[in-house]
Amino acid sequence: MIRFILCGLVLLTGTPALAQPLIIAHRGASGERPEHTRAAYELAIEQGADVIEPDLVLTRDGVFVDRHENEIGGTTDVGDRPEFAGRRTTKTIDGVETTGWFTEDFTLAELKTLRARERLPALRPGSAAFDGQEPILTFDEVVAIAREASARTGRTIAVAPELKHPTYFAAIGLPMEDGFVAELELLGLTGAEAPIIIQCFEVGRLERLATRIDAPLAQLVAAKGGPADRADVTYAQMITPEGLKAIAAYAAWVAPEMTLVLPRAADGRTTAPSTLVADAHAAGLKVVVWTLRAENAFLPVERRRGDDPAGHGDMTGYASAFAEAGVDALFTDFSALVRPGHRNDR
């Protein structure tokens, strides 16, 4: 098997990690190209990403497609398509009322006629210049991109799919679990050494997947709230030493929001690292934080450069601070800034 350069499968399978964190391209090079597109993924791989991340939602005909949310008004040109104007509606997703166009109201064939757009055009006008060029991808197409890049570069490029809103989809008659396992089986991605990390905020989905496949799983954890399928559990409880031991019973990774590892004070400056990384490692878990972005709007005060929210600050230094805190991997929109100077040989 081709193995990752630097960190590679040692992090996916639980063998002791090397010092340099794995780079997971968050929706691809999504700071520079519209997210979840072939262009975004290929650029991220060229910039040194070890893993590319597709967020997975379902179409009306039950196909896994690659969008951050099932609402696609902000990331495609659907709002400019008069034939779909009547499908704009309001739904409640995991307790949040949302108005727009939703993947579950479209067939795959219909979605394939749409084109991707930059989600944050005011902050990322350079990326927005590529609007309208790329179609929506299916999960198997993202896996194919990773495999093509693996063959081209001589190193394994993994995928890190996130199952989005599985409880919601199950409630509308589109359960994710069986179809996802079937697709993983077809793609040969169910084994313990498969180049994949499967993520979800919900607990039950990961627990059930752990009984059906051996591929690495990652429990996502936000700074506030709790999992949609466990009303009596908070994320804060899940990252206590006891909570982390419970996660380790079904997952190989815990994936906390970055401020849970490097907290920020009231003035927006980073404080001393929390004990989360040490506690997770003690429980036998790897740690991947999300999401490093280069724009000042997303950085702690001491990493900002200038007053423009869209201006780039010191994201490279911020990434180094997480490496020093002991994290095993980083989600980022800017892979090139995590490992400066790295480019693949083409």
PDB file of all heavy atoms in Angstrom, residues 6 20-21 23 44 46-50 292 313-321 323 330 332 334-344:
ATOM      1  N   LEU A   6       5.337  11.853   5.428  1.00  0.00           N
ATOM      2  CA  LEU A   6       5.309  12.519   6.726  1.00  0.00           C
ATOM      3  C   LEU A   6       4.450  11.769   7.727  1.00  0.00           C
ATOM      4  O   LEU A   6       4.933  10.907   8.419  1.00  0.00           O
ATOM      5  CB  LEU A   6       4.857  13.995   6.578  1.00  0.00           C
ATOM      6  CG  LEU A   6       5.778  14.827   5.692  1.00  0.00           C
ATOM      7  CD1 LEU A   6       5.207  16.215   5.534  1.00  0.00           C
ATOM      8  CD2 LEU A   6       7.167  14.905   6.277  1.00  0.00           C
ATOM      9  N   GLN A  20       4.769  16.410  13.060  1.00  0.00           N
ATOM     10  CA  GLN A  20       4.087  17.381  12.218  1.00  0.00           C
ATOM     11  C   GLN A  20       2.638  16.975  11.998  1.00  0.00           C
ATOM     12  O   GLN A  20       2.353  15.862  11.549  1.00  0.00           O
ATOM     13  CB  GLN A  20       4.805  17.500  10.873  1.00  0.00           C
ATOM     14  CG  GLN A  20       4.443  18.746  10.107  1.00  0.00           C
ATOM     15  CD  GLN A  20       5.423  18.995   8.983  1.00  0.00           C
ATOM     16  OE1 GLN A  20       5.740  18.086   8.238  1.00  0.00           O
ATOM     17  NE2 GLN A  20       5.905  20.213   8.878  1.00  0.00           N
ATOM     18  N   PRO A  21       1.688  17.844  12.312  1.00  0.00           N
ATOM     19  CA  PRO A  21       0.280  17.458  12.172  1.00  0.00           C
ATOM     20  C   PRO A  21      -0.095  17.151  10.728  1.00  0.00           C
ATOM     21  O   PRO A  21       0.423  17.745   9.784  1.00  0.00           O
ATOM     22  CB  PRO A  21      -0.474  18.687  12.684  1.00  0.00           C
ATOM     23  CG  PRO A  21       0.491  19.408  13.546  1.00  0.00           C
ATOM     24  CD  PRO A  21       1.833  19.172  12.919  1.00  0.00           C
ATOM     25  N   ILE A  23      -2.350  17.477   7.558  1.00  0.00           N
ATOM     26  CA  ILE A  23      -3.111  18.599   7.002  1.00  0.00           C
ATOM     27  C   ILE A  23      -4.366  18.063   6.327  1.00  0.00           C
ATOM     28  O   ILE A  23      -4.286  17.280   5.378  1.00  0.00           O
ATOM     29  CB  ILE A  23      -2.285  19.385   5.970  1.00  0.00           C
ATOM     30  CG1 ILE A  23      -1.034  19.973   6.606  1.00  0.00           C
ATOM     31  CG2 ILE A  23      -3.136  20.501   5.356  1.00  0.00           C
ATOM     32  CD1 ILE A  23      -0.117  20.652   5.603  1.00  0.00           C
ATOM     33  N   ALA A  44      -5.529  22.109  -3.196  1.00  0.00           N
ATOM     34  CA  ALA A  44      -5.113  21.750  -1.842  1.00  0.00           C
ATOM     35  C   ALA A  44      -4.088  20.627  -1.854  1.00  0.00           C
ATOM     36  O   ALA A  44      -3.104  20.654  -1.101  1.00  0.00           O
ATOM     37  CB  ALA A  44      -6.331  21.339  -1.016  1.00  0.00           C
ATOM     38  N   GLU A  46      -2.022  19.930  -4.288  1.00  0.00           N
ATOM     39  CA  GLU A  46      -0.788  20.521  -4.798  1.00  0.00           C
ATOM     40  C   GLU A  46      -0.065  21.290  -3.705  1.00  0.00           C
ATOM     41  O   GLU A  46       1.173  21.317  -3.657  1.00  0.00           O
ATOM     42  CB  GLU A  46      -1.101  21.448  -5.968  1.00  0.00           C
ATOM     43  CG  GLU A  46       0.116  22.105  -6.585  1.00  0.00           C
ATOM     44  CD  GLU A  46      -0.246  23.045  -7.724  1.00  0.00           C
ATOM     45  OE1 GLU A  46      -1.390  22.990  -8.208  1.00  0.00           O
ATOM     46  OE2 GLU A  46       0.618  23.847  -8.120  1.00  0.00           O
ATOM     47  N   GLN A  47      -0.828  21.893  -2.795  1.00  0.00           N
ATOM     48  CA  GLN A  47      -0.237  22.684  -1.716  1.00  0.00           C
ATOM     49  C   GLN A  47       0.260  21.841  -0.543  1.00  0.00           C
ATOM     50  O   GLN A  47       0.822  22.384   0.399  1.00  0.00           O
ATOM     51  CB  GLN A  47      -1.277  23.688  -1.209  1.00  0.00           C
ATOM     52  CG  GLN A  47      -1.622  24.763  -2.223  1.00  0.00           C
ATOM     53  CD  GLN A  47      -2.754  25.654  -1.747  1.00  0.00           C
ATOM     54  OE1 GLN A  47      -3.545  25.265  -0.886  1.00  0.00           O
ATOM     55  NE2 GLN A  47      -2.837  26.851  -2.297  1.00  0.00           N
ATOM     56  N   GLY A  48       0.066  20.541  -0.607  1.00  0.00           N
ATOM     57  CA  GLY A  48       0.606  19.681   0.431  1.00  0.00           C
ATOM     58  C   GLY A  48      -0.388  19.027   1.355  1.00  0.00           C
ATOM     59  O   GLY A  48       0.006  18.383   2.328  1.00  0.00           O
ATOM     60  N   ALA A  49      -1.692  19.162   1.087  1.00  0.00           N
ATOM     61  CA  ALA A  49      -2.686  18.521   1.943  1.00  0.00           C
ATOM     62  C   ALA A  49      -2.523  17.006   1.917  1.00  0.00           C
ATOM     63  O   ALA A  49      -2.260  16.410   0.879  1.00  0.00           O
ATOM     64  CB  ALA A  49      -4.093  18.904   1.499  1.00  0.00           C
ATOM     65  N   ASP A  50      -2.694  16.398   3.078  1.00  0.00           N
ATOM     66  CA  ASP A  50      -2.653  14.942   3.197  1.00  0.00           C
ATOM     67  C   ASP A  50      -4.027  14.319   3.019  1.00  0.00           C
ATOM     68  O   ASP A  50      -4.140  13.146   2.659  1.00  0.00           O
ATOM     69  CB  ASP A  50      -2.125  14.555   4.580  1.00  0.00           C
ATOM     70  CG  ASP A  50      -0.753  15.144   4.867  1.00  0.00           C
ATOM     71  OD1 ASP A  50       0.199  14.802   4.142  1.00  0.00           O
ATOM     72  OD2 ASP A  50      -0.638  15.963   5.795  1.00  0.00           O
ATOM     73  N   LEU A 292      -8.699  26.253  10.696  1.00  0.00           N
ATOM     74  CA  LEU A 292      -7.769  27.365  10.559  1.00  0.00           C
ATOM     75  C   LEU A 292      -8.004  28.090   9.239  1.00  0.00           C
ATOM     76  O   LEU A 292      -7.958  27.486   8.169  1.00  0.00           O
ATOM     77  CB  LEU A 292      -6.322  26.874  10.641  1.00  0.00           C
ATOM     78  CG  LEU A 292      -5.744  26.767  12.055  1.00  0.00           C
ATOM     79  CD1 LEU A 292      -6.392  25.601  12.803  1.00  0.00           C
ATOM     80  CD2 LEU A 292      -4.250  26.606  12.011  1.00  0.00           C
ATOM     81  N   GLY A 313      -3.645  37.345   8.154  1.00  0.00           N
ATOM     82  CA  GLY A 313      -2.769  37.477   9.295  1.00  0.00           C
ATOM     83  C   GLY A 313      -1.776  36.324   9.359  1.00  0.00           C
ATOM     84  O   GLY A 313      -1.466  35.691   8.341  1.00  0.00           O
ATOM     85  N   ASP A 314      -1.312  36.052  10.549  1.00  0.00           N
ATOM     86  CA  ASP A 314      -0.273  35.035  10.751  1.00  0.00           C
ATOM     87  C   ASP A 314      -0.912  33.671  11.020  1.00  0.00           C
ATOM     88  O   ASP A 314      -0.853  33.153  12.137  1.00  0.00           O
ATOM     89  CB  ASP A 314       0.637  35.452  11.902  1.00  0.00           C
ATOM     90  CG  ASP A 314       1.741  34.443  12.181  1.00  0.00           C
ATOM     91  OD1 ASP A 314       2.054  33.634  11.275  1.00  0.00           O
ATOM     92  OD2 ASP A 314       2.276  34.456  13.305  1.00  0.00           O
ATOM     93  N   MET A 315      -1.497  33.067   9.984  1.00  0.00           N
ATOM     94  CA  MET A 315      -2.084  31.749  10.167  1.00  0.00           C
ATOM     95  C   MET A 315      -1.014  30.677  10.324  1.00  0.00           C
ATOM     96  O   MET A 315      -1.206  29.686  11.034  1.00  0.00           O
ATOM     97  CB  MET A 315      -3.005  31.389   9.004  1.00  0.00           C
ATOM     98  CG  MET A 315      -3.974  30.265   9.352  1.00  0.00           C
ATOM     99  SD  MET A 315      -4.636  29.379   7.941  1.00  0.00           S
ATOM    100  CE  MET A 315      -3.326  28.156   7.695  1.00  0.00           C
ATOM    101  N   THR A 316       0.149  30.884   9.693  1.00  0.00           N
ATOM    102  CA  THR A 316       1.232  29.903   9.820  1.00  0.00           C
ATOM    103  C   THR A 316       1.693  29.792  11.273  1.00  0.00           C
ATOM    104  O   THR A 316       1.874  28.690  11.803  1.00  0.00           O
ATOM    105  CB  THR A 316       2.407  30.291   8.910  1.00  0.00           C
ATOM    106  OG1 THR A 316       1.956  30.306   7.553  1.00  0.00           O
ATOM    107  CG2 THR A 316       3.545  29.295   9.043  1.00  0.00           C
ATOM    108  N   GLY A 317       1.851  30.938  11.924  1.00  0.00           N
ATOM    109  CA  GLY A 317       2.220  30.920  13.335  1.00  0.00           C
ATOM    110  C   GLY A 317       1.144  30.303  14.204  1.00  0.00           C
ATOM    111  O   GLY A 317       1.446  29.598  15.184  1.00  0.00           O
ATOM    112  N   TYR A 318      -0.106  30.556  13.851  1.00  0.00           N
ATOM    113  CA  TYR A 318      -1.223  29.975  14.593  1.00  0.00           C
ATOM    114  C   TYR A 318      -1.215  28.452  14.464  1.00  0.00           C
ATOM    115  O   TYR A 318      -1.396  27.728  15.448  1.00  0.00           O
ATOM    116  CB  TYR A 318      -2.519  30.560  14.058  1.00  0.00           C
ATOM    117  CG  TYR A 318      -3.736  30.378  14.932  1.00  0.00           C
ATOM    118  CD1 TYR A 318      -3.659  30.407  16.321  1.00  0.00           C
ATOM    119  CD2 TYR A 318      -4.995  30.216  14.345  1.00  0.00           C
ATOM    120  CE1 TYR A 318      -4.794  30.268  17.106  1.00  0.00           C
ATOM    121  CE2 TYR A 318      -6.130  30.075  15.120  1.00  0.00           C
ATOM    122  CZ  TYR A 318      -6.033  30.097  16.498  1.00  0.00           C
ATOM    123  OH  TYR A 318      -7.158  29.957  17.273  1.00  0.00           O
ATOM    124  N   ALA A 319      -0.957  27.960  13.249  1.00  0.00           N
ATOM    125  CA  ALA A 319      -0.857  26.515  13.043  1.00  0.00           C
ATOM    126  C   ALA A 319       0.276  25.923  13.871  1.00  0.00           C
ATOM    127  O   ALA A 319       0.146  24.843  14.461  1.00  0.00           O
ATOM    128  CB  ALA A 319      -0.649  26.211  11.559  1.00  0.00           C
ATOM    129  N   SER A 320       1.385  26.634  13.939  1.00  0.00           N
ATOM    130  CA  SER A 320       2.518  26.157  14.731  1.00  0.00           C
ATOM    131  C   SER A 320       2.164  26.068  16.216  1.00  0.00           C
ATOM    132  O   SER A 320       2.618  25.152  16.921  1.00  0.00           O
ATOM    133  CB  SER A 320       3.721  27.081  14.547  1.00  0.00           C
ATOM    134  OG  SER A 320       4.192  27.036  13.214  1.00  0.00           O
ATOM    135  N   ALA A 321       1.348  26.999  16.689  1.00  0.00           N
ATOM    136  CA  ALA A 321       0.933  26.969  18.093  1.00  0.00           C
ATOM    137  C   ALA A 321       0.107  25.717  18.387  1.00  0.00           C
ATOM    138  O   ALA A 321       0.228  25.121  19.465  1.00  0.00           O
ATOM    139  CB  ALA A 321       0.144  28.227  18.439  1.00  0.00           C
ATOM    140  N   ALA A 323       0.418  22.884  16.692  1.00  0.00           N
ATOM    141  CA  ALA A 323       1.381  21.779  16.664  1.00  0.00           C
ATOM    142  C   ALA A 323       2.115  21.669  17.996  1.00  0.00           C
ATOM    143  O   ALA A 323       2.309  20.568  18.534  1.00  0.00           O
ATOM    144  CB  ALA A 323       2.365  21.976  15.510  1.00  0.00           C
ATOM    145  N   LEU A 330      -4.852  19.113  11.556  1.00  0.00           N
ATOM    146  CA  LEU A 330      -5.483  20.427  11.465  1.00  0.00           C
ATOM    147  C   LEU A 330      -6.395  20.471  10.241  1.00  0.00           C
ATOM    148  O   LEU A 330      -5.979  20.117   9.137  1.00  0.00           O
ATOM    149  CB  LEU A 330      -4.432  21.527  11.298  1.00  0.00           C
ATOM    150  CG  LEU A 330      -3.364  21.687  12.369  1.00  0.00           C
ATOM    151  CD1 LEU A 330      -2.200  22.509  11.819  1.00  0.00           C
ATOM    152  CD2 LEU A 330      -3.953  22.366  13.597  1.00  0.00           C
ATOM    153  N   THR A 332      -7.928  22.997   7.640  1.00  0.00           N
ATOM    154  CA  THR A 332      -7.597  24.355   7.213  1.00  0.00           C
ATOM    155  C   THR A 332      -8.134  24.633   5.823  1.00  0.00           C
ATOM    156  O   THR A 332      -8.257  23.724   4.994  1.00  0.00           O
ATOM    157  CB  THR A 332      -6.080  24.600   7.230  1.00  0.00           C
ATOM    158  OG1 THR A 332      -5.814  25.956   6.840  1.00  0.00           O
ATOM    159  CG2 THR A 332      -5.343  23.654   6.295  1.00  0.00           C
ATOM    160  N   PHE A 334      -6.444  26.772   4.031  1.00  0.00           N
ATOM    161  CA  PHE A 334      -5.225  27.238   3.369  1.00  0.00           C
ATOM    162  C   PHE A 334      -4.088  26.262   3.654  1.00  0.00           C
ATOM    163  O   PHE A 334      -3.219  26.520   4.500  1.00  0.00           O
ATOM    164  CB  PHE A 334      -4.850  28.640   3.854  1.00  0.00           C
ATOM    165  CG  PHE A 334      -5.839  29.719   3.498  1.00  0.00           C
ATOM    166  CD1 PHE A 334      -6.911  29.996   4.332  1.00  0.00           C
ATOM    167  CD2 PHE A 334      -5.699  30.452   2.321  1.00  0.00           C
ATOM    168  CE1 PHE A 334      -7.821  30.990   4.012  1.00  0.00           C
ATOM    169  CE2 PHE A 334      -6.605  31.453   1.995  1.00  0.00           C
ATOM    170  CZ  PHE A 334      -7.673  31.717   2.832  1.00  0.00           C
ATOM    171  N   SER A 335      -4.061  25.151   2.941  1.00  0.00           N
ATOM    172  CA  SER A 335      -3.058  24.112   3.217  1.00  0.00           C
ATOM    173  C   SER A 335      -1.638  24.630   3.066  1.00  0.00           C
ATOM    174  O   SER A 335      -0.740  24.251   3.827  1.00  0.00           O
ATOM    175  CB  SER A 335      -3.277  22.922   2.281  1.00  0.00           C
ATOM    176  OG  SER A 335      -4.522  22.315   2.543  1.00  0.00           O
ATOM    177  N   ALA A 336      -1.395  25.496   2.091  1.00  0.00           N
ATOM    178  CA  ALA A 336      -0.034  25.970   1.827  1.00  0.00           C
ATOM    179  C   ALA A 336       0.544  26.749   2.997  1.00  0.00           C
ATOM    180  O   ALA A 336       1.762  26.801   3.171  1.00  0.00           O
ATOM    181  CB  ALA A 336      -0.006  26.832   0.569  1.00  0.00           C
ATOM    182  N   LEU A 337      -0.315  27.342   3.831  1.00  0.00           N
ATOM    183  CA  LEU A 337       0.161  28.145   4.951  1.00  0.00           C
ATOM    184  C   LEU A 337       0.459  27.306   6.189  1.00  0.00           C
ATOM    185  O   LEU A 337       1.112  27.782   7.114  1.00  0.00           O
ATOM    186  CB  LEU A 337      -0.864  29.227   5.299  1.00  0.00           C
ATOM    187  CG  LEU A 337      -1.129  30.257   4.193  1.00  0.00           C
ATOM    188  CD1 LEU A 337      -2.160  31.274   4.661  1.00  0.00           C
ATOM    189  CD2 LEU A 337       0.162  30.957   3.778  1.00  0.00           C
ATOM    190  N   VAL A 338      -0.006  26.077   6.215  1.00  0.00           N
ATOM    191  CA  VAL A 338       0.302  25.201   7.337  1.00  0.00           C
ATOM    192  C   VAL A 338       1.696  24.616   7.184  1.00  0.00           C
ATOM    193  O   VAL A 338       2.442  24.494   8.147  1.00  0.00           O
ATOM    194  CB  VAL A 338      -0.739  24.069   7.452  1.00  0.00           C
ATOM    195  CG1 VAL A 338      -0.369  23.094   8.571  1.00  0.00           C
ATOM    196  CG2 VAL A 338      -2.122  24.650   7.710  1.00  0.00           C
ATOM    197  N   ARG A 339       2.036  24.268   5.955  1.00  0.00           N
ATOM    198  CA  ARG A 339       3.342  23.680   5.682  1.00  0.00           C
ATOM    199  C   ARG A 339       4.008  24.512   4.590  1.00  0.00           C
ATOM    200  O   ARG A 339       4.085  24.104   3.434  1.00  0.00           O
ATOM    201  CB  ARG A 339       3.165  22.226   5.257  1.00  0.00           C
ATOM    202  CG  ARG A 339       4.408  21.367   5.408  1.00  0.00           C
ATOM    203  CD  ARG A 339       4.059  19.903   5.130  1.00  0.00           C
ATOM    204  NE  ARG A 339       3.294  19.326   6.232  1.00  0.00           N
ATOM    205  CZ  ARG A 339       2.511  18.245   6.105  1.00  0.00           C
ATOM    206  NH1 ARG A 339       2.397  17.649   4.944  1.00  0.00           N
ATOM    207  NH2 ARG A 339       1.862  17.772   7.145  1.00  0.00           N
ATOM    208  N   PRO A 340       4.476  25.729   4.915  1.00  0.00           N
ATOM    209  CA  PRO A 340       4.986  26.649   3.880  1.00  0.00           C
ATOM    210  C   PRO A 340       6.113  26.029   3.066  1.00  0.00           C
ATOM    211  O   PRO A 340       6.965  25.307   3.581  1.00  0.00           O
ATOM    212  CB  PRO A 340       5.493  27.845   4.694  1.00  0.00           C
ATOM    213  CG  PRO A 340       4.781  27.764   5.990  1.00  0.00           C
ATOM    214  CD  PRO A 340       4.579  26.308   6.270  1.00  0.00           C
ATOM    215  N   GLY A 341       6.098  26.322   1.783  1.00  0.00           N
ATOM    216  CA  GLY A 341       7.173  25.866   0.913  1.00  0.00           C
ATOM    217  C   GLY A 341       6.974  24.488   0.337  1.00  0.00           C
ATOM    218  O   GLY A 341       7.701  24.071  -0.572  1.00  0.00           O
ATOM    219  N   HIS A 342       5.945  23.740   0.867  1.00  0.00           N
ATOM    220  CA  HIS A 342       5.732  22.391   0.357  1.00  0.00           C
ATOM    221  C   HIS A 342       4.900  22.430  -0.919  1.00  0.00           C
ATOM    222  O   HIS A 342       3.903  23.096  -1.000  1.00  0.00           O
ATOM    223  CB  HIS A 342       5.005  21.522   1.379  1.00  0.00           C
ATOM    224  CG  HIS A 342       4.732  20.139   0.854  1.00  0.00           C
ATOM    225  ND1 HIS A 342       5.604  19.100   1.068  1.00  0.00           N
ATOM    226  CD2 HIS A 342       3.707  19.642   0.129  1.00  0.00           C
ATOM    227  CE1 HIS A 342       5.121  18.008   0.487  1.00  0.00           C
ATOM    228  NE2 HIS A 342       3.960  18.328  -0.079  1.00  0.00           N
ATOM    229  N   ARG A 343       5.332  21.723  -1.906  1.00  0.00           N
ATOM    230  CA  ARG A 343       4.534  21.477  -3.105  1.00  0.00           C
ATOM    231  C   ARG A 343       4.784  20.044  -3.544  1.00  0.00           C
ATOM    232  O   ARG A 343       5.884  19.508  -3.399  1.00  0.00           O
ATOM    233  CB  ARG A 343       4.925  22.423  -4.263  1.00  0.00           C
ATOM    234  CG  ARG A 343       4.578  23.888  -4.034  1.00  0.00           C
ATOM    235  CD  ARG A 343       3.048  24.090  -3.993  1.00  0.00           C
ATOM    236  NE  ARG A 343       2.727  25.489  -3.920  1.00  0.00           N
ATOM    237  CZ  ARG A 343       2.674  26.182  -2.798  1.00  0.00           C
ATOM    238  NH1 ARG A 343       2.988  25.607  -1.653  1.00  0.00           N
ATOM    239  NH2 ARG A 343       2.337  27.458  -2.797  1.00  0.00           N
ATOM    240  N   ASN A 344       3.783  19.427  -4.104  1.00  0.00           N
ATOM    241  CA  ASN A 344       3.979  18.079  -4.631  1.00  0.00           C
ATOM    242  C   ASN A 344       4.804  18.120  -5.903  1.00  0.00           C
ATOM    243  O   ASN A 344       4.777  19.088  -6.656  1.00  0.00           O
ATOM    244  CB  ASN A 344       2.627  17.447  -4.987  1.00  0.00           C
ATOM    245  CG  ASN A 344       1.855  17.033  -3.758  1.00  0.00           C
ATOM    246  OD1 ASN A 344       2.448  16.823  -2.709  1.00  0.00           O
ATOM    247  ND2 ASN A 344       0.557  16.922  -3.882  1.00  0.00           N
TER     248      ASN A 344
END
